[in-house]
Amino acid sequence: MTPATVRDLVYGALFTRAPAEMEATAIFVGGSDVVAGEAVFEAVKATFFGPFKVSVIFDANGANTTAAAAALAALQSMGGSLQGVSAGVLAATGPVGHRAARLLCRLGAKVAVGSRSLDRARGLADTLRQSTGGAVTPFAAIGEAELTEALKDSSVIISAGAAGIPLLPASVWSNLPALTTLIDLNAVPPLGIEGVEAADKNTVRGTVRTWGALGVGGTKMKIHKKAIQELFVTNDKVLDAEQVLELGRSL
Ligand SMILES: NC(=O)c1ccc[n+]([C@@H]2O[C@H](COP(=O)([O-])OP(=O)(O)OC[C@H]3O[C@@H](n4cnc5c(N)ncnc54)[C@H](OP(=O)(O)O)[C@@H]3O)[C@@H](O)[C@H]2O)c1
């Protein structure tokens, strides 16, 4: 499916049943290319008109459900609120990291977004400031000194790097004075945060609570199932990262 071809598929869902029966059909925009999926998602929404719509979810590569599960872990660790909390997202330029940072902003956190490239981090910070109105600071994650400086105020760190890429050494995080919460989304060894295990789920390690990719993944799957159920309740659900997070909070 591409934005150009998806319209006829949507028409097929809309015009083959009465409006009262439309909740029997829903659209899942998945696939592994998140940017291409976003374009299809926009084209699907643009095809709806008046009462002619069916529910739709966007979760290419599991990016939204994974980011929502990470945000839920952060909320749980911080007592249910991230308002005013300083947070850092490593590899925030990827699909999961971008959405995790966006959700943290929406929840009122002050968010530092990291990338190997300061230019990419700056571009993302601009995008997030515009879309959320949040306080976002870019940083270049290129060495231990830079990481320590960028994350020195962070209470929460989410590591959203590519599979098998270690991003945060224990020697850095163990000396961050404000740190309470570490969340690593990379399940493939070597893991993203040294000292955090994939199965960690609200695990206490010294003064820090930790979640690993499998710990987050269990919540992600619960959110995914709830979201799929919701699609077939009414014909007007549009589930992007924010709506998926709200479903997760309701679980
Ligand atoms: N637990 C779950 O249920 C679940 C579900 C889906 C995904 N995941 C995991 O979540 C993580 C993020 O997924 P994603 O799709 O957003 O990842 P991704 O697009 O593959 O990579 C995210 C970022 O990692 C950085 N990166 C890539 N290669 C690197 C390298 N060699 N060295 C340092 N940084 C590198 C890049 O940022 P810069 O170029 O800006 O530095 C990239 O934007 C992955 O580990 C994925 O496996 C977990």
Side-chain angles (χ1 to χ4, degrees):
M1 280 296 135
T2 66
T5 59
V6 78
R7 190 188 65 169
D8 287 345
L9 183 76
V10 178
Y11 283 159
L14 300 181
F15 298 146
T16 51
R17 66 211 73 222
E21 295 170 340
M22 281 190 195
E23 73 267 16
T25 296
I27 295 173
F28 190 118
V29 182
S32 59
D33 185 332
V34 179
V35 174
E38 267 177 338
V40 171
F41 183 50
E42 292 307 316
V44 167
K45 291 188 288 179
T47 307
F48 300 151
F49 59 97
F52 289 90
K53 56 180 76 163
V54 295
S55 290
V56 56
I57 183 171
F58 174 63
D59 199 26
N61 235 10
N64 279 343
T65 44
T66 304
L72 278 182
L75 278 167
Q76 183 184 352
S77 185
M78 299 305 292
S81 172
L82 294 178
Q83 196 64 46
V85 167
S86 290
V89 180
L90 298 169
T93 53
V96 175
H98 179 151
R99 285 163 179 78
R102 192 169 101 197
L103 292 176
L104 296 182
C105 287
R106 298 240 192 253
L107 291 165
K110 294 176 276 188
V111 185
V113 291
S115 162
R116 288 169 295 179
S117 152
L118 185 56
D119 277 350
R120 281 202 293 277
R122 282 188 179 132
L124 174 63
D126 289 344
T127 302
L128 290 172
R129 269 187 231 107
Q130 281 164 18
S131 62
T132 69
V136 191
T137 320
F139 68 94
I142 48 175
E144 295 203 5
E146 290 77 6
L147 281 171
T148 302
E149 174 61 24
L151 299 171
K152 65 180 188 302
D153 297 328
S154 292
S155 299
V156 175
I157 295 174
I158 297 177
S159 182
I165 301 294
L167 293 181
L168 187 61
S171 56
V172 171
W173 67 257
S174 58
N175 288 309
L176 297 174
L179 189 67
T180 64
T181 309
L182 285 172
I183 301 165
D184 183 15
L185 301 176
N186 164 25
V188 181
L191 302 179
I193 302 179
E194 187 183 11
V196 175
E197 300 296 329
D200 284 5
K201 188 171 187 180
N202 205 7
T203 303
V204 177
R205 294 186 182 276
T207 56
V208 177
R209 291 184 177 276
T210 62
W211 275 259
L214 302 181
V216 173
T219 308
K220 171 214 166 9
M221 287 315 300
K222 285 183 188 150
I223 297 173
H224 174 101
K225 286 175 187 166
K226 174 72 176 167
I228 299 300
Q229 287 167 358
E230 283 295 309
L231 293 175
F232 297 99
V233 175
T234 59
N235 70 324
D236 57 357
K237 299 276 165 53
V238 178
L239 305 183
D240 204 343
E242 287 75 9
Q243 295 75 28
V244 161
L245 173 63
E246 283 314 305
L247 288 177
R249 295 185 85 170
S250 74
L251 287 172

